Amino acid sequence: MALPFTWSEWRRLDAIALADHIRSGRTTSVEVAAQAAAAIEMLNPALQAVLEVFYDAVEDPSREIPTTGGALYGVPMLMKDSGSGMRGRLREWGSRLSTGQRAAADCPVTTNLRQAGINLLGRTTLPENGKTFDTTADYRGSLVVTRNPWNPAKTPGGSSGGSAAMVAAAAVPIARAGDAAGSTRVPASFTGLVGHKPSRGLLPPPSGTNELTNHRIQEGVLTRTVRDQAAALDIMISGFPLSHFIAARPPESAYSEQIRHAPKPLRIAVSAGNWGRPGGCCAPVAQRVAEVATVLTEVGNHHAETVADDLICEWGPFWASVETNWLATGWFWRSLATQRGWPLSRVRGLLTPQNANLLDAGEHLTIPDLAAALAGNPRLMASLARFFDRYDILLCPVFPDPVPDANGPYSLMAETPFADWFSNLLHGMRYTVLGNESGLPSISVPAGLLDGIPVGALLYGPPQSDGALLQLAAQLEEARPDWFDNAPPLSVTMGAGGPQRPCQGVI
């Protein structure tokens, strides 16, 4: 099959533009799927970002999607190998403990994507159970290190690193992500993408969970354009109200419509402070955040001012809760050992080194510890309510440092003592985990390059301000298209010689 686009044309097509070509009859969903699969096969040996391409979905998209659809009909999309599952497909969570597991049915977000006609084409890499900002995993006995297409020595972030690498390299225009402490927004920052963590309760959660049992994680997508981000959000939030513990109020108008209008002048608080932890943000990253503030004040008549850390929230109780909550995630593996009738040592032996350490580190926690961490949340929310009475938006870094090495300091395979590794992880989530503990929406937007690699800035808003955040991101994209439309050295434009036959291969 001849590919419908040159690779230069393919790189410039976002999801909406690609769907327009399909809808107009200039190409077909089959041809588009074939070109996406060819791009994956061309790039994956260098990036190690895709575990599997679904050959049946490439050959015949109509097997899984309606014959007609909406704004993203026929668009190929990759799915992170965790969270919302696809019926009959593997979902292995980057873990040897989940090898061979398949989802019994589509999760609600998956159903929404299919009903919109999006072609779910494969699954992407993540670190084991999504526990860090580096995407390195032991996959079926092989070390898989996912690489950043801007510099293969660097990580694309985590835990949605595989999705980020493939969207940044333009293999596909969109891929699913999930965020428990920054796992959508950090990869977006590291690869020059748009990554939105929605308000808690806006998207239906994966089957078997809700906002009570899994309050930190919100799913989303990684895209190259803001309009793709808005269109995908419109699709993902539809339906399934009874899957929520507490559902967020749906928007009064579609997000795709909202971004057609400029936001009203906003009061923007700017911070690149320590946020209650030792260390802080490196000066070059802080400077990029300041440049974003300058652009927004110039183009949108917004007012921006630097704020002190203690105006945002009470950081001491906040970090105490974060540390307890994160250590408590290791209890999942204790429960798994009980469910399978295994000794804990058997489970521990199958975990990556730092997750094995996390399992041990949470052993001392008690029910009163967890109750105390939970009791701190009302204080956090009261502080943030006061803050957002005074300001409309909080602008800050996504990540405090330049992009780390792949399989480097954040890797679950690192041999660093756990106390040091965990302290570094908390340092990395310094600016992002606030959104997970509070449920506030936030969006990572490109802020140019730093030593040839992207850096992002983070926009927070009060609950259910997703539309305003997308409007502000669209305003920045219009003002600085050069920040949003950069091609990394490893991308589909490396050459026109990609394979013509899509693969079903596994790394």
Side-chain angles (χ1 to χ4, degrees), residues 144-165:
V144 175
V145 182
T146 303
R147 306 286 178 172
N148 192 318
W150 289 89
N151 180 343
K154 301 297 182 179
T155 180
S159 61
S160 308
S163 291

Side-chain angles (χ1 to χ4, degrees), residues 36-392:
I40 293 166
E41 188 167 296
M42 184 191 344
L43 292 164
N44 208 45
L47 297 179
Q48 297 196 41
V50 175
L51 296 169
E52 180 183 9
V53 173
F54 304 143
Y55 187 36
D56 55 347
V58 174
E59 204 167 59
D60 182 10
S62 66
R63 290 169 55 97
E64 301 285 358
I65 63 175
T67 55
T68 59
L72 300 186
Y73 176 77
V75 169
M77 178 177 180
L78 290 170
M79 297 284 277
K80 184 179 180 180
D81 196 31
S82 64
S84 288
M86 300 165 279
R87 65 177 178 272
R89 304 290 193 190
L90 290 169
R91 181 181 50 176
E92 298 178 305
W93 301 85
S95 176
R96 290 189 293 175
L97 287 166
S98 303
T99 298
Q101 290 187 5
R102 296 181 184 271
D106 281 347
C107 288
V109 162
T110 308
T111 296
N112 289 342
L113 294 170
R114 288 198 206 277
Q115 289 179 344
I118 295 174
N119 190 6
L120 308 181
L121 209 63
R123 56 193 181 103
T124 59
T125 55
L126 74 157
E128 185 175 52
N129 293 106
K131 295 293 186 184
T132 189
F133 297 127
D134 168 277
T135 298
T136 299
D138 181 340
Y139 186 69
R140 300 188 178 183
S142 298
L143 183 69
V144 175
V145 182
T146 303
R147 306 286 178 172
N148 192 318
W150 289 89
N151 180 343
K154 301 297 182 179
T155 180
S159 61
S160 308
S163 291
M166 279 293 160
V167 175
V172 292
I174 184 170
R176 191 177 60 74
D179 195 310
S183 289
T184 298
R185 295 160 291 163
V186 169
S189 175
F190 287 1
T191 58
L193 301 176
V194 182
H196 173 228
K197 187 204 77 66
S199 291
R200 182 182 295 151
L202 189 59
L203 269 67
S207 303
T209 70
N210 62 23
E211 295 79 19
L212 176 64
T213 60
N214 200 3
H215 74 275
R216 295 178 201 89
I217 299 177
Q218 285 85 50
E219 294 188 320
V221 294
L222 290 159
T223 63
R224 296 193 297 274
T225 63
V226 176
R227 69 176 189 169
D228 278 359
Q229 193 72 219
L233 189 59
D234 286 331
I235 290 166
M236 291 187 294
I237 66 175
S238 60
F240 299 98
L242 293 180
S243 69
H244 294 280
F245 178 69
I246 298 177
R249 183 180 67 249
E252 295 181 359
S253 61
Y255 294 112
S256 296
E257 176 60 30
Q258 291 186 45
I259 63 169
R260 298 177 186 272
H261 308 283
K264 66 179 183 180
L266 298 167
R267 303 163 297 172
I268 302 175
V270 183
S271 173
N274 294 343
W275 286 30
R277 292 204 63 79
C281 182
C282 75
V285 171
Q287 179 58 37
R288 302 307 295 175
V289 172
E291 290 182 28
V292 171
T294 298
V295 172
L296 290 175
T297 56
E298 290 175 350
V299 302
N301 199 30
H302 306 296
H303 173 74
E305 62 180 75
T306 302
V307 298
D309 288 3
D310 60 5
L311 196 62
I312 301 171
C313 76
E314 299 177 71
W315 294 109
F318 171 78
W319 284 110
S321 294
V322 169
E323 291 190 32
T324 297
N325 287 334
W326 201 258
L327 291 175
T329 63
W331 285 15
F332 165 78
W333 295 307
R334 295 178 182 277
S335 175
L336 184 65
T338 300
Q339 291 170 15
R340 296 185 179 181
W342 290 1
L344 192 59
S345 59
R346 181 176 177 184
V347 169
R348 192 186 192 284
L350 289 171
L351 291 171
T352 49
Q354 294 300 343
N355 274 345
N357 292 337
L358 177 63
L359 171 67
D360 295 341
E363 185 176 8
H364 71 277
L365 292 176
T366 65
I367 297 300
D369 291 332
L370 298 180
L374 184 63
N377 196 260
R379 294 176 63 182
L380 169 66
M381 300 311 296
S383 297
L384 292 171
R386 290 191 294 269
F387 179 83
F388 283 110
D389 277 343
R390 185 168 177 177
Y391 298 99
D392 301 303

Side-chain angles (χ1 to χ4, degrees), residues 272-273 275 280-281 396-400 429-434 458 460:
W275 286 30
C281 182
C396 64
V398 179
F399 196 79
M429 67 174 72
R430 172 186 312 267
Y431 299 112
T432 49
V433 75
L434 178 66
L458 192 61
Y460 274 108

